[in-house]
């Protein structure tokens, strides 16, 4: 687990300032603190949950509180049965939850939600309304056997989904799998591996989302009450009256006087100047908005880490900030979501503005169609004429509307206040009485009727009297009733909720919808083949960040390295009976000395290859094989045939030599002709002072090799010049790559490799595709200049 996520080592700016608060008067520990961070000293604050420094503290506190309540609710039933030793689990669970939240944060910040909000969600709602109305029209017909088939069943026939039954019951297994997949995508392998903690975290998420939240939010009364909340406090006719309710003029006729004329004149002046000022302000605001909206966007997803939600959220809490710094995002991972649920045939490529500046999303189209469907506008001539005119205007202004809506989304809808509102609403709904208060009680049927009536009244108030006949037709009340009826059945709503949840998950984790959807076909990810010859589905997951372990001494480093290798070996052997490993030369072989005489090492299961080899005889001092033989093979019982040196009979022809080594790998790894790249269980690498690794040197043409497994080089800047090496595609398909570096001499280059990956040094380019992972086993002398976050050691 990354050390910076663990409570005891959290050291961000938040926590630094927090530690100075130890003298403040002690308050009773919050539930979050007692449950999630039992080891934190009294008086200290909770570590920041989100990595982004601009994430406001109130969100941190709210989310922690929510997690604590959810965790408590989950463990409630078996809390009394567990021993105090078992309670040690909870900080582990916290650590995993924290990692998941941080991954979510990163993902959310790099996701463009515009397609979800403006295309997918409105399209889903429109379809829900259409199907509900269609199903209702069939209820009492012969199609439904004269009413024998209930409405939810008819609806289910129109909107089947594997995760929800006709009665509106959710298939927990579907979401269990989905959440497990999310955990796999969010956690580094060593945190995903422990079954128990992962099980607990998955079940907590499942309980909150599937057992508590969805069944509740799909209740008609809940939807109606939420809309009421969003509409704000009821319109009070009394308060609308002028404060000084002057008696009607016919009872007290006004007397003309110079004084009253002056008062009238001055008030008129004041009103006129007030209107003028308001108009000027409106004009200025419009200009600013248009300017902001028309600003060029930044298409690179990662560049948005400081903009997007946190940034706009921060602006919402600090009005003084320059609004011009907002940059609405433009990536569109979510396009995968929309296409994978087959809603839009015209799903644009992943980054439309990058690939084609003239490709527009027509973000205004689906919301307008939704409004038209909701309020049955097509049935009324005047209303549909207004709607068509509006559609035409929006279509004519498509580029501007697309930008405007994205701008509004990121400055108004996904603002800090709305995120906090949703969080507090969820908390209030699920745990209205906090802990240990009783759980929420649903309103009685009578109360539900009242909520419905209140909503109808409030909706009616929203529409100006003069516009009501045009927008809502001759019977506004009926139109409004028809607009809320399709949300009156919890089982049907459940379908909508499941579709929306699917779309949301696909927006944030687009790789979950890859198979068969074609949604991400524009992403080029190499096909992966595992070493049993099985084809992998193209993997969309970005490589996990490297895990850096730094140890006090070289001795501790080699001990921990041996433990890690043994663990990797045990996992591989238990899975497939053998362990495939590639070794480097240089300083590495000596650092494997703790494997010698280690009873846990199953040497007969090892298949050893060389990450690179100098093209010299095997007994030559420069030979990596020879070095490994001296330092390791000669001291352990490894069968000779399990070691795969180069074929020295081909030393005169490097191309042949590299081909022969590639064939040796093919023999070991590929059992099918379609083999693409081998997947080593472990590749152990060193780093040279210039940042080279294997025999991949800076700025060399070999860095761009894409096809070969093994390549040769005859102009190595480091002697000897003739070598062969594994290529990047092989390194980047490995299950684990471990870099080992010790001593002061590595300090400078290690810092460049880790802190400045943009420099593109060969070692920085080793990034195995998911679920592969890079680890750095270094000593403190080597990592002295590294700023990259080191992780607390954990096997
Ligand atoms: O030439 C080579 O150098 C690298 C780095 O060696 P080190 O002595 O600095 O650790 C090594 O990993 C590679 O196998 C070797 O051929």
């Amino acid at each position: 687990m990354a050390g910076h996520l663990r409570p005891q080592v959290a050291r961000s700016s938040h926590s630094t300032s927090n530690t100075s608060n130890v003298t403040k008067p002690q308050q009773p520990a919050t539930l979050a603190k007692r449950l999630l961070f039992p080891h934190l000293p009294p008086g200290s604050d909770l570590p920041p949950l989100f990595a982004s420094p601009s994430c406001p503290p109130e969100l941190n506190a709210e989310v922690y509180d929510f997690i604590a309540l959810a965790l408590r609710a989950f463990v409630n039933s078996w809390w009394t049965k567990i021993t105090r030793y078992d309670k040690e689990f909870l900080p582990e669970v916290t650590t995993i939850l924290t990692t998941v939240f941080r991954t979510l944060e990163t993902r959310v910040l790099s996701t463009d939600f515009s397609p979800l909000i403006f295309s997918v969600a409105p399209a889903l709602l429109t379809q829900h309304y259409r199907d509900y109305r269609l199903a209702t029209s069939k209820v009492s017909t012969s199609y439904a056997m004269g009413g024998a088939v209930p409405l939810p069943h008819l609806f289910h026939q129109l909107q089947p989904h594997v995760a929800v039954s006709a009665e509106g019951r959710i298939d927990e297994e579907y979401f269990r799998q989905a959440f497990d997949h999310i955990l796999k995508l969010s956690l580094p392998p060593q945190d995903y591996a422990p079954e128990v903690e992962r099980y607990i975290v998955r079940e907590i998420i499942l309980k909150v989302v599937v057992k508590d939240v969805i069944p509740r939010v799909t209740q008609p009364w809940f939807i109606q009450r939420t809309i009421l909340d969003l509409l704000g406090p009821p319109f009070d006719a009394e308060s609308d009256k002028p404060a000084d309710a002057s008696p009607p003029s016919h009872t007290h006729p006004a007397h003309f006087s110079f004084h009253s004329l002056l008062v009238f004149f001055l008030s008129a002046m004041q009103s006129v100047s007030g209107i003028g000022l308001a108009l000027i302000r409106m004009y200025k605001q419009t200009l600013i908005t248009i300017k902001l909206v028309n600003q060029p966007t930044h298409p690179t997803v990662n560049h948005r880490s400081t903009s997007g939600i946190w940034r706009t959220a921060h602006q919402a809490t600090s009005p003084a900030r320059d609004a011009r710094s907002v940059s609405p995002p433009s990536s569109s991972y979510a396009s995968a979501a929309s296409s994978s649920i087959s809603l839009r045939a015209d799903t644009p490529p992943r980054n439309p503005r990058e690939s084609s500046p003239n490709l527009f999303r027509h973000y205004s189209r689906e919301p307008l169609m939704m409004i038209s469907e909701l309020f049955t506008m097509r049935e009324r001539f005047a209303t549909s004429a207004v709607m068509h005119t509006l559609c035409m205007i929006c279509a004519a202004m498509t580029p501007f509307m697309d930008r405007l809506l994205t701008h509004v989304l990121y400055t108004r809808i996904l603002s800090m206040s709305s995120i906090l509102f949703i969080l507090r609403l969820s908390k209030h709904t699920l745990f209205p009485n906090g802990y240990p208060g009783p759980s929420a009680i649903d309103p009685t049927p009578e109360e539900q009727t009242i909520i419905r009536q209140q909503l109808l009244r409030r909706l009616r108030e929203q529409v100006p009297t003069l516009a009501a006949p045009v927008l809502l037709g001759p019977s506004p009340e009926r139109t409004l009733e028809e607009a809320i009826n399709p949300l009156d059945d919890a089982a049907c709503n459940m379908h909508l909720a499941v579709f929306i949840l699917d779309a949301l998950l696909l927006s944030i984790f687009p790789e979950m919808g890859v198979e068969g959807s074609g949604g991400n076909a524009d992403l080029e990810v190499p096909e992966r083949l595992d070493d049993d010859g099985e084809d992998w589905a193209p993997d969309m997951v970005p490589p996990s960040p490297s895990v850096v372990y730094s140890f006090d001494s070289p001795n501790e480093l080699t001990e921990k390295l041996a433990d890690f290798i043994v663990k990797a070996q045990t996992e591989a052997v238990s899975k497939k009976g053998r362990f495939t490993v590639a070794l480097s030369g240089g300083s590495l072989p000596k650092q494997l000395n703790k494997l010698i005489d280690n009873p846990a090492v199953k040497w007969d299961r090892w298949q050893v290859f060389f990450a690179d080899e100098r093209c010299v005889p095997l007994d030559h001092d420069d030979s990596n094989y020879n070095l490994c033989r001296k330092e390791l093979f000669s001291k352990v019982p490894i069968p000779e045939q399990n070691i795969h040196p180069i074929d020295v009979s081909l030393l005169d022809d490097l191309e042949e030599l590299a081909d022969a080594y590639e064939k040796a790998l093919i023999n070991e790894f590929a059992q099918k002709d379609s083999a693409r790249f081998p997947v080593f269980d472990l590749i152990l690498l060193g780093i040279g002072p210039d940042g080279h690794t294997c025999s991949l040197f800076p700025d060399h043409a070999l860095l761009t090799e894409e096809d070969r497994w093994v390549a040769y080089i005859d102009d190595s800047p480091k002697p000897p010049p003739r070598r062969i090496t594994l290529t990047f595609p092989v390194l980047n398909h490995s299950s684990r790559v471990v870099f080992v570096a010790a001593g002061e001499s590595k300090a400078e280059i290690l810092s460049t490799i880790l802190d400045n990956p943009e420099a593109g040094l060969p070692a920085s380019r080793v990034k195995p595709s998911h679920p592969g992972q890079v680890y750095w086993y270094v000593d403190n002398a080597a990592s002295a200049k590294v700023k990259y976050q080191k992780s607390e050691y954990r096997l």
Side-chain angles (χ1 to χ4, degrees), residues 195-520:
E195 274 278 327
V196 183
E197 289 95 329
R198 195 183 80 223
Y199 170 86
I200 292 179
V201 170
R202 189 190 62 202
E203 294 302 312
I204 291 172
I205 301 174
L206 191 76
K207 176 168 166 36
V208 170
V209 178
V210 175
K211 297 185 191 165
D212 294 338
V213 174
I214 299 188
R216 190 155 264 254
V217 298
T218 48
Q219 291 300 320
W221 62 265
F222 183 88
I223 300 171
Q224 291 157 9
R225 209 169 63 184
T226 308
I227 302 174
L228 270 174
D229 283 348
L230 288 171
L231 290 176
F235 175 75
D236 184 357
E238 288 306 303
S239 67
D240 202 39
K241 287 181 184 165
D244 175 21
S246 309
S249 53
H250 62 268
T251 52
H252 291 275
H255 297 289
F256 177 81
S257 69
F258 178 73
H259 177 248
S260 55
L261 185 68
L262 190 67
V263 169
F264 173 79
F265 180 72
L266 288 176
S267 338
M269 286 286 289
Q270 201 181 10
S271 306
V272 169
S273 60
I275 293 171
L277 278 177
L279 283 174
I280 291 172
R281 203 173 307 143
M282 214 168 83
Y283 172 73
K284 275 189 178 165
Q285 191 53 51
T286 311
L287 278 188
I288 290 174
T289 309
I290 291 176
K291 209 167 149 191
L292 278 175
V293 167
N294 283 327
Q295 258 177 10
T297 51
H298 313 292
T300 315
V301 178
N302 292 336
H303 284 176
R304 207 150 40 80
S305 57
T306 53
S307 67
I309 295 172
W310 289 161
R311 185 157 170 177
T312 50
H314 195 58
Q315 281 172 335
T317 50
S318 4
R321 276 179 69 111
D322 181 2
R324 277 167 295 183
S325 58
V326 178
S327 53
S330 61
S331 88
S332 63
Y333 262 136
S335 64
S338 59
S339 63
S340 55
I341 57 171
S342 315
L343 278 168
R344 298 178 64 85
D346 58 345
T347 305
R350 187 167 68 114
N351 202 332
R353 282 170 222 194
E354 218 170 9
S355 50
S356 165
N358 296 322
L359 195 61
F360 301 116
R361 304 300 199 85
H362 297 280
Y363 282 149
S364 52
R365 190 171 56 196
E366 294 293 348
L368 286 173
M369 281 172 69
M370 180 187 78
I371 294 171
S372 170
E373 181 65 39
L374 251 65
F375 297 102
T376 49
M377 290 182 166
R378 263 173 303 141
E379 292 170 14
R380 296 183 299 279
F381 177 74
T383 322
S384 62
V386 171
M387 212 53 191
H388 275 119
T389 315
L390 205 60
C391 286
M392 275 180 344
I393 296 171
C394 289
M397 296 168 65
T398 295
F400 178 76
M401 289 305 293
D402 280 2
R403 286 198 297 270
L404 176 71
L405 287 174
T406 308
H407 174 79
V408 168
L409 175 69
Y410 281 93
T411 51
R412 297 275 178 271
I413 303 175
L414 295 181
S415 66
M416 171 48 58
S417 49
S418 53
I419 292 171
L420 278 172
F421 171 80
I422 293 170
L423 201 61
R424 285 177 183 147
L425 180 75
S426 325
K427 221 170 72 178
H428 181 73
T429 313
L430 298 174
F431 319 103
N433 307 301
Y435 174 78
S439 54
I441 307 168
D442 288 358
T444 60
E446 291 74 31
E447 286 166 341
Q448 292 180 22
T449 313
I450 293 172
I451 294 173
R452 194 174 199 282
Q453 284 162 355
Q454 271 177 350
L455 176 64
L456 283 170
R457 217 175 24 249
R458 295 280 293 109
L459 286 174
R460 181 68 187 84
E461 283 171 12
Q462 301 300 307
V463 188
T465 322
L466 280 178
V470 182
L471 296 178
L472 302 177
S475 172
E477 283 73 19
R478 222 195 81 216
T479 308
L480 289 174
E481 277 232 28
E482 281 176 5
I484 60 170
N485 284 348
L487 298 173
D488 266 356
D489 189 290
C492 300
N493 295 345
M494 192 66 94
H495 289 71
L496 178 63
V498 168
F499 276 117
I500 289 182
L501 187 58
D502 270 354
L504 177 68
L505 293 182
L506 284 171
S507 299
I508 304 174
F509 298 92
E511 55 272 37
M512 286 172 70
V514 166
E515 253 176 306
S517 76
N520 271 323

Side-chain angles (χ1 to χ4, degrees), residues 583-589 591 610-614 622 624 627 684-690 692-697 716 718-720 723-724 739-742 745-746:
L583 301 181
S584 295
S587 55
L588 181 94
Q591 285 159 319
F610 293 87
D612 72 321
E613 180 57 289
R614 289 91 179 270
D622 283 340
N624 284 344
L627 193 63
L684 287 159
L685 298 177
I687 47 164
D690 54 353
H692 84 263
T693 190
C694 294
S695 284
L696 297 161
F697 291 90
S716 160
K718 177 179 174 182
R723 297 154 172 245
I724 60 157
F739 281 100
V740 185
S745 64
K746 305 278 182 192

